[in-house]
């Protein structure tokens, strides 16, 4: 999306010129004044919208460092890990951590509806990421954010651009809602297919199907393998490494531009993944994370996986890997995975316990019928995802054009 924007009368300003950094702290009483609070992981990447939050009324514990009060209409910018692009526009009053900047636009210079998109421009994130200090706890400072320069249009033009930016944002959010509805419908159908197995040994949708239950290990093509740990990542050479963030983000893992690692010939034979391999999170800070499963899709570049994962390679001549994947993603499958989660300092599973998880085994023909049904839904996801990707690309292009210096 290319627009001809006349910036000849735009004025170069710094964030500190047009924003006020608010410090409304109440260490003693903030938790009594407000129920809702925002952690960084409540903020989604590259969206201004807040979709979830913590609630003390729901029994969630408030961190002792959470005493900074934010107000509706303020920009909330977490200074830790700015490369995660998690800046949001506050839609209610609440509490956040002390390291989150609470910025209020000066309406003498700014139209509040226009300026939030500045904080999701590539130039802003390039600036703040370039200002990161600290290796253990990477963060940027207020003075670095404050000195960021950008071109500010006259208020009349701000209003026009704000209308365009929010219209584009509405398209993206509407498509996201459509995706969530389709996902809910899909999950319901997948759960129905594998429901009631423990109680009456009958598939709920495919009636009168003969099946047995068997440990996953009985269908291993090769034994499950924990990932290889490499202390140094190599950018620009080596093998692409699938990381934990990707495992949690994508149900099917394909080609992406990720960090690369070097492997010996022996390691390549053991640790490179193939299409259809199941990848499990071996450990996680939360119960739901341990045992989380993704499947390797078709990919062009060779890939390996982190030591925090377990790879399972099944004999596809006897059982379809994607059939097992869908079972383990169903409500019943997740229940069986949770049974093997143990606790030390974090939640975790072992490859030995994973091998003993029972899976309902139906005929090869019935496996294909189940996959055909589920893949019809996946095609719907794919079409919606394409629309979302296109719309977000247009939105990002517009934001960068408006806020490029």
């Amino acid at each position: 999306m290319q627009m001809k924007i006349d910036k000849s009368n735009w004025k170069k300003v710094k964030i500190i010129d047009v924003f006020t950094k608010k410090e409304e702290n109440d260490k003693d009483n903030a938790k009594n004044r407000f129920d809702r609070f925002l952690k960084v992981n409540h903020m989604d990447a590259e969206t201004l919208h807040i979709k979830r939050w913590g609630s003390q009324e729901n029994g969630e514990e408030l961190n002792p460092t959470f005493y900074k009060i934010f107000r509706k209409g303020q920009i909330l910018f977490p200074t830790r890990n700015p490369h995660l692009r998690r800046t949001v526009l506050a839609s209610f009053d609440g509490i956040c951590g002390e390291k989150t900047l609470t910025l209020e636009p000066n309406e003498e210079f700014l139209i509040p509806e226009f300026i939030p998109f500045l904080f999701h421009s590539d130039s802003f994130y390039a600036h703040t990421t370039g200002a990161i200090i600290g290796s253990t706890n990477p963060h940027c400072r207020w003075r670095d954010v404050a000195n960021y320069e950008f071109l500010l249009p006259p208020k009349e033009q701000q209003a026009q651009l704000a209308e365009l930016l929010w219209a584009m944002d509405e398209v993206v959010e509407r498509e996201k809602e459509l995706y969530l509805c389709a996902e809910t419908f899909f999950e319901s159908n997948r759960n129905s297919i594998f429901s009631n197995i423990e109680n009456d040994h009958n598939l709920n949708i495919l009636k009168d199907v003969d099946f047995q239950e068997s440990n996953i290990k009985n269908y291993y093509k090769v034994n499950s393998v924990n990932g290889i740990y490499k202390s140094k990542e190599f950018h620009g050479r080596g093998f692409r490494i699938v990381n934990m963030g990707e495992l949690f983000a994508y149900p099917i893992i394909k080609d992406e531009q990720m960090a690369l690692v070097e492997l010996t010939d022996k390691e390549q034979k053991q640790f490179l993944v193939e299409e259809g391999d199941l990848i499990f999170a071996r450990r996680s800070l939360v119960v739901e994370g341990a045992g989380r499963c993704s499947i390797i899709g078709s990919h062009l570049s060779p890939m390996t996986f982190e030591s925090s994962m377990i790879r399972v390679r099944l004999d596809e001549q006897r059982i379809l890997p994607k059939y097992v994947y869908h079972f383990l993603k169903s409500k019943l499958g997740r229940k069986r995975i949770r049974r093997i989660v143990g606790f030390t300092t974090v939640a975790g599973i072992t490859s030995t316990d994973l091998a003993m998880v029972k899976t309902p085994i139906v005929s090869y023909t019935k496996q294909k019928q189940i996959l055909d049904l589920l893949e019809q839904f996946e095609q719907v996801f794919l079409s919606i995802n394409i629309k979302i990707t296109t719309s977000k690309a247009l939105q990002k292009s517009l934001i960068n054009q408006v806020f490029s210096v």
Side-chain angles (χ1 to χ4, degrees):
M1 179 185 230
Q2 292 294 324
M3 296 175 54
K4 292 184 178 180
I5 302 177
D6 181 7
K7 298 184 178 182
S8 58
N9 61 341
W10 291 25
K11 181 181 178 182
K12 182 175 284 191
V13 298
K14 295 181 178 180
I15 281 182
I16 197 171
D17 297 329
V18 291
F19 279 91
T20 302
K21 181 171 76 77
K22 293 292 185 177
E23 290 291 339
E24 190 177 353
N25 299 313
D26 188 349
K27 293 185 178 182
D28 298 325
N29 208 36
K31 64 180 181 180
N32 299 319
R33 294 170 58 190
F34 301 93
D35 167 53
R36 290 184 285 185
F37 59 92
L38 282 178
K39 297 180 179 180
V40 174
N41 59 11
H42 289 137
M43 305 178 188
D44 294 323
E46 296 206 78
T47 178
L48 294 170
H49 301 276
I50 299 172
K51 300 293 180 67
R52 58 190 186 281
W53 51 81
S55 169
Q56 297 179 80
E57 289 183 0
N58 292 339
E60 297 177 69
E61 188 174 344
L62 190 65
N63 189 299
T65 62
F66 276 55
Y67 50 77
K68 178 182 281 189
I69 297 167
F70 64 83
R71 299 292 181 177
K72 181 178 180 179
Q74 290 179 346
I75 300 294
L76 308 184
F77 173 72
T79 55
R80 287 176 176 164
N81 299 309
H83 57 282
L84 296 179
R85 301 186 172 218
R86 291 177 171 176
T87 305
V88 296
L89 175 64
S91 53
F92 56 85
D93 296 351
I95 311 169
C96 61
E98 59 179 345
K99 298 300 183 182
T100 296
L101 294 179
T102 49
L103 305 177
E104 198 164 284
N106 185 336
E107 295 190 31
E108 179 182 352
F109 307 104
L110 301 174
I111 291 180
E113 293 78 13
F114 165 72
I115 203 60
F117 294 97
L118 165 73
F119 295 87
H120 282 301
S121 65
D122 285 345
S123 57
F124 173 76
Y125 278 114
H127 174 84
T128 51
T129 300
I132 286 177
I133 60 172
S135 55
T136 304
N137 181 24
H139 65 282
C140 61
R141 297 162 294 190
W142 158 240
R143 71 187 189 195
D144 298 314
V145 176
N147 286 328
Y148 173 70
E149 290 186 329
F150 65 99
L151 292 174
L152 182 67
K155 292 182 78 172
E156 180 181 346
Q157 200 168 357
Q158 289 182 43
Q160 295 171 349
L161 290 170
E163 186 175 350
L164 181 58
L165 287 164
W166 281 109
M168 192 70 247
D169 185 80
E170 184 180 354
V171 170
V172 172
E173 292 303 311
R174 189 166 59 245
E175 289 172 350
K176 287 181 180 179
E177 289 177 7
L178 179 61
Y179 182 88
L180 289 176
C181 290
E183 183 178 44
T184 300
F185 184 67
F186 172 75
E187 291 290 342
S188 176
N189 279 275
R190 179 163 61 185
N191 290 336
S192 294
I193 289 173
F194 295 107
S195 68
N196 301 323
I197 291 174
E198 290 185 316
N199 298 324
D200 60 13
H201 284 200
N202 193 19
L203 291 177
N204 194 31
I205 288 181
L206 301 178
K207 297 292 186 181
D208 303 319
V209 174
D210 292 328
F211 74 95
Q212 59 183 355
E213 291 199 78
S214 180
N215 299 333
I216 293 178
K217 71 173 184 178
N218 293 333
Y219 292 87
Y220 281 178
K221 188 172 185 179
V222 296
N223 289 333
S224 61
V225 179
N226 291 340
I228 184 169
Y229 175 73
K230 286 286 183 179
S231 60
K232 184 177 181 182
E233 294 181 350
F234 299 85
H235 296 274
R237 67 183 189 275
F239 296 93
R240 179 207 157 190
I241 186 166
V242 178
N243 61 28
M244 285 291 286
E246 192 173 11
L247 186 148
F248 279 85
Y250 303 110
I252 299 177
I253 298 172
K254 300 181 181 180
D255 289 285
E256 294 289 340
Q257 293 299 318
M258 306 295 290
L260 303 176
V261 297
E262 289 187 339
L263 302 178
T264 65
D265 291 343
K266 182 179 179 181
E267 289 169 341
Q268 290 177 38
K269 292 179 181 179
Q270 188 174 14
F271 296 111
L272 290 184
V273 297
E274 298 177 0
E275 183 175 357
D277 283 354
L278 302 179
I279 303 291
F280 296 83
R282 191 157 59 91
R283 56 180 179 266
S284 175
L285 295 175
V286 295
V287 174
E288 286 297 326
R292 185 78 172 263
C293 177
S294 288
I295 188 168
I296 301 295
S298 60
H299 53 279
L300 299 175
S301 56
M303 299 191 296
T304 183
F305 54 105
E306 289 184 333
S307 60
S308 54
M309 301 175 185
I310 298 171
R311 184 201 61 203
V312 168
R313 182 171 297 162
L314 300 170
D315 183 355
E316 64 275 10
Q317 299 303 315
R318 302 171 60 217
I319 192 168
L320 294 168
K322 204 165 185 182
Y323 166 81
V324 178
Y325 161 77
H326 279 299
F327 168 68
L328 294 174
K329 297 290 282 188
S330 72
K331 186 177 181 180
L332 178 58
R334 293 197 304 271
K335 180 180 177 181
R336 292 187 177 182
I337 289 290
R338 281 196 296 270
R339 289 175 182 167
I340 66 170
V341 174
F343 288 91
T344 50
T345 54
V346 296
I349 63 171
T350 67
S351 56
T352 302
D353 289 336
L354 179 62
M356 300 304 293
V357 172
K358 288 188 177 297
T359 301
I361 307 300
V362 297
S363 70
Y364 208 78
T365 300
K366 292 299 181 184
Q367 291 177 40
K368 288 183 176 180
Q369 289 178 0
I370 290 173
L371 288 184
D372 286 344
L373 176 62
L374 292 174
E375 286 174 1
Q376 290 178 34
F377 294 111
E378 289 186 338
Q379 288 303 312
V380 174
F381 285 150
L382 179 62
S383 63
I384 298 175
N385 256 331
I386 291 173
K387 289 182 179 180
I388 292 174
T389 301
T390 302
S391 298
K392 288 181 72 173
L394 290 173
Q395 181 188 38
K396 173 61 72 174
S397 175
L398 177 59
I399 289 172
N400 288 334
Q401 287 178 66
V402 170
F403 293 105
S404 63
V405 178

